[in-house]
Amino acid sequence: MEENKNMVFNNRLIAIPESIISGSNYRITVLTERLVRLEYHPSGVFHDYRTQWVSFRNFEKPEFEVQQDDKYLVIKTKYFTLSYTKNKPFDGGKLVPTTNLKVDLNGTDKTWYYHHPEVKNYKGLLVGMDGSEEDLRLRNGLYSLDGFATIDDSNSYVYNDQGQILKRNDPGIDLYLFMYGKDFSFALKDYFTLTGMPPMIPRYALGNWWCRDLDYTETDILNVVANFERSEIPLAVFLLDKGWHKPNFTDRFMVTGYTFHSGLIPNPKELIDKLHEKNIKVGLHYDPIDGIFPDEACYSQIAQYFKITDNRVIAFDPLNPVLLNAIYHFLLTPLRALGVDFFWNDYKKTDHGLDSLWFINQRLFYHDKADLSKRSMILARTGMIAPHLQPIIYTGKTLVGWEMLRKISKFNQCAANMGVSWISHDVNGNFGGVEEEELYIRSIQLATFSPILRFHAPRGRYYRREPWRWNAKTLEIATQFLQLRHQMIPYTYSNGYRYHKEGVPIISPLYYEYPWIYDDKNYSHQYFFGEMLVAPIVEKKDLLMNRTVHRFFIPDGVWYDFKTGKKFPGNKEYVSFFRDEDYPVFVSRGGIIPLSILEEENFTGIPKELEIHVFPGKSNSFNLYEDDGISEMYLEGRHVITQIDYNYLPNNYTIIIRTLDGGRGIIDDYRDYKIRFRNTKRATDIVAYFNNTPLKTISYIDEADFVVEVKEVPSIGQLTINCKGKDIEIDAIRLINDDIDSILLDLPINTVLKEKISAIMFGDLPLKQKRIEIRKLGKFNLTKEYIRLFLRLLEYISQI
């Protein structure tokens, strides 16, 4: 299969000689202190081609020691000790598998050997979550409690010197063994260096997506957009499902098509231009499985290309490179010319194994990279090979329900175990199940703090993904979080750059730092979203108290509720009570969260106005990354990095915003800043400078926050704001009594009786006596269900 020759980097693919130890039929390459390549071939045939997995082997020589004689070889690094009987097969047999080759993880009792089952691997990805047996199809990832993992590159396709992709059929072994112990972040760094760093996705992809499997007319599409506008919900992407293309000449419905249905969308370019004017990007469903039909607009060209004269359907073959090229050039390129921004590859047939998915995605993704003015992105099921290199991963048509919501939070973490961050699920599921207000709200909230937020529903009038089709309260909550999603784009995009540049995942499971959490049903769903800690709500609420009783774990340090600012001392387990509009997201002390202030309709570009949330208690820094968001020019250094420094003292704190890298031409010349110091009293002395020039400020208290605004500040240079005062920080420690008082306030109970309940619940009586007094309230007509409720609440208090 031909490939762009620029994609083959032979000098990058050859390890330095000093890192290689080889014999007549083995070659061992120490790439880093944690990563070793193990090759065995009966005839001593080894290669250094680029493979589907590997694009770089030219690592600097790591520190390691070699001891060897004619028979034995021992290699020792800081992390592992490899012992090998020279020229023996790696497989030592089932009885004593370590006979010929073993690799010990230094300082532990862990040993890897060839054909190790790696049962403590915490898994990685799967092809899709369509169906009911997702857990059985998860493949191994890189994270393991054993502290090691492997990638088997023995049977993958290779690129030859001419850039062609070829199947290798030799019987050799080609493994990459990661021996990292507890330093998984270093293993990820090695993995990304070996396979390639994750690319940046377009900035608009971080906004809200809409998709529904309906035969939308142009009027229908514009009506949906108008409903988003009326609801004040920003929309970044309109993704058209398979109904966009015209039906084929056969009687049965075909999912494949490349020509717009003129009866539905008579002028697609005009429609796409209208959506672009509203800052909405357009994606198209693409599934080539049915082949190419004679009634496609460009059929004659592609038939001539293949010398077909009988007007037959051209069958699809995912492993035919000439056909894949022809589809792109003759069928997809004209759609791109109409303004289509990206394609959603919904191909899922795996008769040829996962290679078919990989080849289609590879072709689709890298064809677009030839145009530097457009940043390549696809939505597709993964081919499982270096999946981070072909974003965004689509997890399929998922079931509606709470069980799926729980699986999604876990699956995002499994993706991180394979170095994948850009992953997309159907918000609130796709089909089946029961449409519930609470499930809909919790699904949107989880998606708000996930890499991609995408609605997708099937046909059927009773599926409700449109926020305006719910009641007023649900619409209000959905609007609040969908607006926040767009406000968070500066934060999420900056974390996306860190993922691209440093290999730091956007989502990171909490069990990386606290392994015991993996098996704890209360806390196993928690993860870091950049610097934020998210504790997803995946259970139904208690209908009587109208709250979700939710347990969560706060890591070391001091953390603040992102919404309320309440303080949570760390390394503790908590139970709290969340209303529908509340969601457990926390920021550690000193945290800096840059948000945009929503201005232009559906705008996802670089904002002129920024609202920066700064949490007290610790000095910290955040790098705000910005580029044009749509092109590949970021690879040429066309970006601006603005460093936001927070220097904290209890009575004297300073925020410094300065250009760290880049220059003019990327962002506006002037910018407005709203600095929101969370949980902070009004300062008595405020000064602001741009470089050395004093600036006017506007300052005020907004609930529990102190806000300082500065207008029309030059974007390139240094802004300094210093605030002084006495006892500035508000000590808003979260108390469970406040939560219970809020529940009592909302309950439909006689007000005089509420006073009696409050006196018992928050009084000084021993817990046993409180239980007795609550039961006695039955004689004041407190119902049994409420008595049971308050007894339960007393139990929660006793656990804190």
Side-chain angles (χ1 to χ4, degrees), residues 556-593:
D556 285 337
V558 175
W559 294 74
Y560 298 86
D561 184 293
F562 179 61
K563 180 180 178 181
T564 67
K566 292 291 186 182
K567 183 190 291 186
F568 291 79
N571 201 23
K572 291 185 179 181
E573 301 173 37
Y574 288 88
V575 61
S576 195
F577 311 91
F578 290 87
R579 300 170 299 175
D580 290 347
E581 59 266 37
D582 300 327
Y583 205 65
V585 176
F586 307 93
V587 180
S588 66
R589 60 178 183 169
I592 300 170
I593 310 294

Short mmCIF file of all heavy atoms in Angstrom, two decimals, residues 556-593:
data_model
loop_
_atom_site.label_atom_id
_atom_site.label_comp_id
_atom_site.label_asym_id
_atom_site.label_seq_id
_atom_site.Cartn_x
_atom_site.Cartn_y
_atom_site.Cartn_z
N ASP A 556 -4.63 13.94 48.49
CA ASP A 556 -3.81 14.78 49.38
C ASP A 556 -3.93 16.25 49.02
O ASP A 556 -4.12 16.61 47.86
CB ASP A 556 -2.33 14.36 49.29
CG ASP A 556 -2.08 13.05 50.02
OD1 ASP A 556 -2.87 12.70 50.92
OD2 ASP A 556 -1.09 12.37 49.68
N GLY A 557 -3.77 17.09 50.02
CA GLY A 557 -3.82 18.54 49.81
C GLY A 557 -5.15 19.11 50.24
O GLY A 557 -5.92 18.50 50.98
N VAL A 558 -5.43 20.30 49.76
CA VAL A 558 -6.69 20.98 50.02
C VAL A 558 -7.36 21.23 48.68
O VAL A 558 -6.74 21.74 47.75
CB VAL A 558 -6.48 22.31 50.78
CG1 VAL A 558 -7.80 23.05 50.94
CG2 VAL A 558 -5.84 22.05 52.14
N TRP A 559 -8.64 20.88 48.59
CA TRP A 559 -9.38 21.01 47.34
C TRP A 559 -10.64 21.84 47.58
O TRP A 559 -11.16 21.90 48.69
CB TRP A 559 -9.76 19.63 46.80
CG TRP A 559 -8.57 18.83 46.38
CD1 TRP A 559 -7.66 18.21 47.19
CD2 TRP A 559 -8.14 18.57 45.04
NE1 TRP A 559 -6.69 17.58 46.44
CE2 TRP A 559 -6.96 17.79 45.11
CE3 TRP A 559 -8.63 18.91 43.79
CZ2 TRP A 559 -6.28 17.35 43.99
CZ3 TRP A 559 -7.96 18.47 42.65
CH2 TRP A 559 -6.79 17.70 42.76
N TYR A 560 -11.13 22.46 46.49
CA TYR A 560 -12.30 23.31 46.56
C TYR A 560 -13.34 22.84 45.55
O TYR A 560 -12.99 22.48 44.41
CB TYR A 560 -11.93 24.77 46.26
CG TYR A 560 -10.95 25.38 47.23
CD1 TYR A 560 -9.58 25.22 47.05
CD2 TYR A 560 -11.38 26.12 48.32
CE1 TYR A 560 -8.67 25.77 47.93
CE2 TYR A 560 -10.48 26.68 49.21
CZ TYR A 560 -9.13 26.50 49.02
OH TYR A 560 -8.23 27.06 49.89
N ASP A 561 -14.60 22.85 45.96
CA ASP A 561 -15.68 22.60 45.01
C ASP A 561 -15.66 23.69 43.95
O ASP A 561 -15.68 24.88 44.27
CB ASP A 561 -17.02 22.59 45.76
CG ASP A 561 -18.19 22.22 44.86
OD1 ASP A 561 -18.51 23.02 43.96
OD2 ASP A 561 -18.79 21.17 45.07
N PHE A 562 -15.60 23.28 42.67
CA PHE A 562 -15.45 24.26 41.59
C PHE A 562 -16.61 25.24 41.53
O PHE A 562 -16.43 26.42 41.21
CB PHE A 562 -15.31 23.53 40.25
CG PHE A 562 -15.18 24.44 39.06
CD1 PHE A 562 -14.12 25.33 38.96
CD2 PHE A 562 -16.11 24.41 38.04
CE1 PHE A 562 -13.99 26.18 37.87
CE2 PHE A 562 -15.99 25.25 36.94
CZ PHE A 562 -14.94 26.14 36.86
N LYS A 563 -17.81 24.79 41.88
CA LYS A 563 -18.99 25.65 41.80
C LYS A 563 -19.16 26.50 43.06
O LYS A 563 -19.30 27.72 42.98
CB LYS A 563 -20.24 24.82 41.56
CG LYS A 563 -21.52 25.63 41.46
CD LYS A 563 -22.73 24.74 41.21
CE LYS A 563 -24.01 25.56 41.16
NZ LYS A 563 -25.20 24.69 40.93
N THR A 564 -19.15 25.86 44.22
CA THR A 564 -19.48 26.57 45.46
C THR A 564 -18.27 27.16 46.16
O THR A 564 -18.41 28.06 46.99
CB THR A 564 -20.19 25.62 46.44
OG1 THR A 564 -19.25 24.60 46.87
CG2 THR A 564 -21.39 24.96 45.79
N GLY A 565 -17.08 26.65 45.87
CA GLY A 565 -15.88 27.11 46.55
C GLY A 565 -15.67 26.48 47.92
O GLY A 565 -14.70 26.81 48.61
N LYS A 566 -16.54 25.56 48.33
CA LYS A 566 -16.37 24.92 49.64
C LYS A 566 -15.05 24.17 49.69
O LYS A 566 -14.62 23.54 48.73
CB LYS A 566 -17.53 23.96 49.90
CG LYS A 566 -18.88 24.63 50.09
CD LYS A 566 -18.95 25.41 51.39
CE LYS A 566 -20.35 25.95 51.64
NZ LYS A 566 -20.41 26.75 52.88
N LYS A 567 -14.42 24.22 50.86
CA LYS A 567 -13.09 23.64 51.03
C LYS A 567 -13.20 22.20 51.56
O LYS A 567 -13.98 21.91 52.45
CB LYS A 567 -12.28 24.48 52.01
CG LYS A 567 -10.84 23.99 52.21
CD LYS A 567 -10.15 24.69 53.36
CE LYS A 567 -9.88 26.15 53.07
NZ LYS A 567 -9.07 26.78 54.14
N PHE A 568 -12.36 21.31 50.97
CA PHE A 568 -12.31 19.91 51.38
C PHE A 568 -10.86 19.53 51.69
O PHE A 568 -10.06 19.38 50.77
CB PHE A 568 -12.85 19.01 50.27
CG PHE A 568 -14.33 19.12 50.02
CD1 PHE A 568 -14.84 20.17 49.28
CD2 PHE A 568 -15.20 18.17 50.53
CE1 PHE A 568 -16.19 20.28 49.05
CE2 PHE A 568 -16.56 18.27 50.30
CZ PHE A 568 -17.07 19.33 49.57
N PRO A 569 -10.52 19.36 52.97
CA PRO A 569 -9.18 18.84 53.30
C PRO A 569 -8.99 17.46 52.69
O PRO A 569 -9.93 16.65 52.64
CB PRO A 569 -9.20 18.79 54.83
CG PRO A 569 -10.22 19.81 55.23
CD PRO A 569 -11.28 19.73 54.16
N GLY A 570 -7.78 17.18 52.23
CA GLY A 570 -7.54 15.99 51.43
C GLY A 570 -7.19 14.73 52.18
O GLY A 570 -7.12 14.71 53.41
N ASN A 571 -7.00 13.67 51.39
CA ASN A 571 -6.73 12.31 51.85
C ASN A 571 -7.86 11.82 52.76
O ASN A 571 -7.62 11.17 53.78
CB ASN A 571 -5.38 12.22 52.56
CG ASN A 571 -4.86 10.80 52.60
OD1 ASN A 571 -5.25 9.96 51.78
ND2 ASN A 571 -4.01 10.50 53.57
N LYS A 572 -9.09 12.15 52.38
CA LYS A 572 -10.26 11.78 53.17
C LYS A 572 -11.39 11.31 52.25
O LYS A 572 -11.48 11.69 51.10
CB LYS A 572 -10.76 12.97 53.99
CG LYS A 572 -9.84 13.40 55.13
CD LYS A 572 -10.49 14.51 55.95
CE LYS A 572 -9.59 14.92 57.11
NZ LYS A 572 -10.23 15.98 57.93
N GLU A 573 -12.24 10.47 52.83
CA GLU A 573 -13.45 10.03 52.16
C GLU A 573 -14.62 10.88 52.63
O GLU A 573 -14.73 11.20 53.82
CB GLU A 573 -13.71 8.55 52.45
CG GLU A 573 -12.57 7.64 52.00
CD GLU A 573 -12.75 6.21 52.45
OE1 GLU A 573 -13.90 5.74 52.45
OE2 GLU A 573 -11.74 5.57 52.81
N TYR A 574 -15.50 11.25 51.70
CA TYR A 574 -16.62 12.12 52.02
C TYR A 574 -17.92 11.52 51.53
O TYR A 574 -17.93 10.71 50.58
CB TYR A 574 -16.45 13.50 51.36
CG TYR A 574 -15.37 14.37 51.97
CD1 TYR A 574 -14.06 14.29 51.52
CD2 TYR A 574 -15.67 15.27 52.99
CE1 TYR A 574 -13.07 15.08 52.07
CE2 TYR A 574 -14.69 16.06 53.54
CZ TYR A 574 -13.39 15.97 53.09
OH TYR A 574 -12.41 16.76 53.63
N VAL A 575 -19.01 11.92 52.17
CA VAL A 575 -20.34 11.66 51.64
C VAL A 575 -21.05 13.01 51.58
O VAL A 575 -20.93 13.83 52.50
CB VAL A 575 -21.13 10.66 52.51
CG1 VAL A 575 -21.33 11.17 53.93
CG2 VAL A 575 -22.47 10.34 51.87
N SER A 576 -21.71 13.26 50.46
CA SER A 576 -22.41 14.53 50.31
C SER A 576 -23.70 14.29 49.55
O SER A 576 -23.97 13.19 49.06
CB SER A 576 -21.53 15.55 49.58
OG SER A 576 -22.05 16.85 49.74
N PHE A 577 -24.51 15.34 49.44
CA PHE A 577 -25.85 15.23 48.89
C PHE A 577 -25.99 16.26 47.77
O PHE A 577 -25.94 17.46 48.03
CB PHE A 577 -26.89 15.46 49.98
CG PHE A 577 -26.63 14.64 51.23
CD1 PHE A 577 -25.85 15.14 52.26
CD2 PHE A 577 -27.12 13.35 51.34
CE1 PHE A 577 -25.59 14.39 53.39
CE2 PHE A 577 -26.87 12.59 52.46
CZ PHE A 577 -26.10 13.10 53.50
N PHE A 578 -26.16 15.77 46.55
CA PHE A 578 -26.11 16.64 45.39
C PHE A 578 -27.49 16.79 44.76
O PHE A 578 -28.16 15.81 44.45
CB PHE A 578 -25.12 16.09 44.36
CG PHE A 578 -23.69 16.20 44.79
CD1 PHE A 578 -23.10 15.21 45.55
CD2 PHE A 578 -22.93 17.32 44.45
CE1 PHE A 578 -21.77 15.31 45.95
CE2 PHE A 578 -21.61 17.43 44.85
CZ PHE A 578 -21.04 16.43 45.61
N ARG A 579 -27.89 18.04 44.55
CA ARG A 579 -29.09 18.32 43.79
C ARG A 579 -28.82 18.07 42.31
O ARG A 579 -27.68 17.90 41.89
CB ARG A 579 -29.51 19.78 44.01
CG ARG A 579 -29.81 20.13 45.47
CD ARG A 579 -29.98 21.62 45.64
NE ARG A 579 -28.77 22.33 45.28
CZ ARG A 579 -28.65 23.66 45.25
NH1 ARG A 579 -29.70 24.42 45.55
NH2 ARG A 579 -27.51 24.23 44.92
N ASP A 580 -29.87 18.09 41.50
CA ASP A 580 -29.69 17.85 40.07
C ASP A 580 -28.72 18.84 39.45
O ASP A 580 -27.94 18.50 38.55
CB ASP A 580 -31.04 17.94 39.35
CG ASP A 580 -31.97 16.79 39.68
OD1 ASP A 580 -31.50 15.80 40.28
OD2 ASP A 580 -33.17 16.87 39.34
N GLU A 581 -28.76 20.09 39.89
CA GLU A 581 -27.94 21.14 39.28
C GLU A 581 -26.50 21.16 39.79
O GLU A 581 -25.67 21.94 39.32
CB GLU A 581 -28.57 22.51 39.50
CG GLU A 581 -28.76 22.90 40.96
CD GLU A 581 -30.14 22.56 41.49
OE1 GLU A 581 -30.69 21.50 41.10
OE2 GLU A 581 -30.67 23.35 42.29
N ASP A 582 -26.18 20.29 40.76
CA ASP A 582 -24.84 20.25 41.34
C ASP A 582 -24.05 19.06 40.77
O ASP A 582 -24.63 18.02 40.46
CB ASP A 582 -24.91 20.12 42.86
CG ASP A 582 -25.63 21.29 43.51
OD1 ASP A 582 -25.53 22.41 42.96
OD2 ASP A 582 -26.31 21.09 44.53
N TYR A 583 -22.73 19.24 40.68
CA TYR A 583 -21.88 18.15 40.19
C TYR A 583 -20.54 18.23 40.89
O TYR A 583 -19.94 19.31 41.02
CB TYR A 583 -21.70 18.24 38.68
CG TYR A 583 -21.39 16.91 38.05
CD1 TYR A 583 -22.33 15.88 38.06
CD2 TYR A 583 -20.16 16.66 37.43
CE1 TYR A 583 -22.06 14.65 37.47
CE2 TYR A 583 -19.89 15.44 36.84
CZ TYR A 583 -20.85 14.44 36.87
OH TYR A 583 -20.58 13.21 36.29
N PRO A 584 -20.01 17.08 41.37
CA PRO A 584 -18.78 17.08 42.15
C PRO A 584 -17.51 17.21 41.29
O PRO A 584 -16.97 16.23 40.79
CB PRO A 584 -18.82 15.73 42.88
CG PRO A 584 -19.70 14.87 42.04
CD PRO A 584 -20.67 15.76 41.35
N VAL A 585 -17.08 18.44 41.15
CA VAL A 585 -15.82 18.76 40.46
C VAL A 585 -15.01 19.65 41.39
O VAL A 585 -15.54 20.61 41.96
CB VAL A 585 -16.09 19.48 39.12
CG1 VAL A 585 -14.77 19.89 38.46
CG2 VAL A 585 -16.90 18.60 38.19
N PHE A 586 -13.73 19.33 41.53
CA PHE A 586 -12.91 20.01 42.53
C PHE A 586 -11.61 20.52 41.89
O PHE A 586 -11.10 19.95 40.94
CB PHE A 586 -12.57 19.05 43.67
CG PHE A 586 -13.79 18.39 44.28
CD1 PHE A 586 -14.23 17.15 43.81
CD2 PHE A 586 -14.50 19.00 45.28
CE1 PHE A 586 -15.36 16.54 44.35
CE2 PHE A 586 -15.64 18.41 45.84
CZ PHE A 586 -16.06 17.17 45.36
N VAL A 587 -11.10 21.60 42.49
CA VAL A 587 -9.83 22.18 42.06
C VAL A 587 -8.95 22.31 43.29
O VAL A 587 -9.41 22.77 44.34
CB VAL A 587 -10.05 23.56 41.40
CG1 VAL A 587 -8.71 24.15 40.96
CG2 VAL A 587 -11.01 23.44 40.22
N SER A 588 -7.70 21.94 43.18
CA SER A 588 -6.80 21.98 44.34
C SER A 588 -6.37 23.41 44.63
O SER A 588 -6.52 24.32 43.81
CB SER A 588 -5.56 21.11 44.08
OG SER A 588 -4.80 21.65 43.03
N ARG A 589 -5.85 23.63 45.81
CA ARG A 589 -5.43 24.98 46.20
C ARG A 589 -4.36 25.49 45.23
O ARG A 589 -3.50 24.74 44.78
CB ARG A 589 -4.89 24.99 47.63
CG ARG A 589 -3.70 24.11 47.89
CD ARG A 589 -3.24 24.26 49.32
NE ARG A 589 -2.03 23.47 49.56
CZ ARG A 589 -1.29 23.58 50.65
NH1 ARG A 589 -1.63 24.43 51.60
NH2 ARG A 589 -0.21 22.85 50.80
N GLY A 590 -4.47 26.75 44.91
CA GLY A 590 -3.59 27.35 43.92
C GLY A 590 -4.00 27.08 42.49
O GLY A 590 -3.33 27.53 41.55
N GLY A 591 -5.12 26.36 42.30
CA GLY A 591 -5.55 26.01 40.95
C GLY A 591 -5.92 27.24 40.13
O GLY A 591 -6.48 28.21 40.63
N ILE A 592 -5.59 27.19 38.84
CA ILE A 592 -5.87 28.28 37.90
C ILE A 592 -6.67 27.70 36.74
O ILE A 592 -6.19 26.82 36.03
CB ILE A 592 -4.56 28.92 37.39
CG1 ILE A 592 -3.75 29.50 38.56
CG2 ILE A 592 -4.86 30.00 36.35
CD1 ILE A 592 -2.35 29.93 38.17
N ILE A 593 -7.88 28.20 36.55
CA ILE A 593 -8.77 27.68 35.50
C ILE A 593 -9.18 28.85 34.60
O ILE A 593 -10.02 29.67 34.98
CB ILE A 593 -10.03 27.02 36.09
CG1 ILE A 593 -9.66 25.99 37.18
CG2 ILE A 593 -10.86 26.39 34.99
CD1 ILE A 593 -8.90 24.79 36.66
#
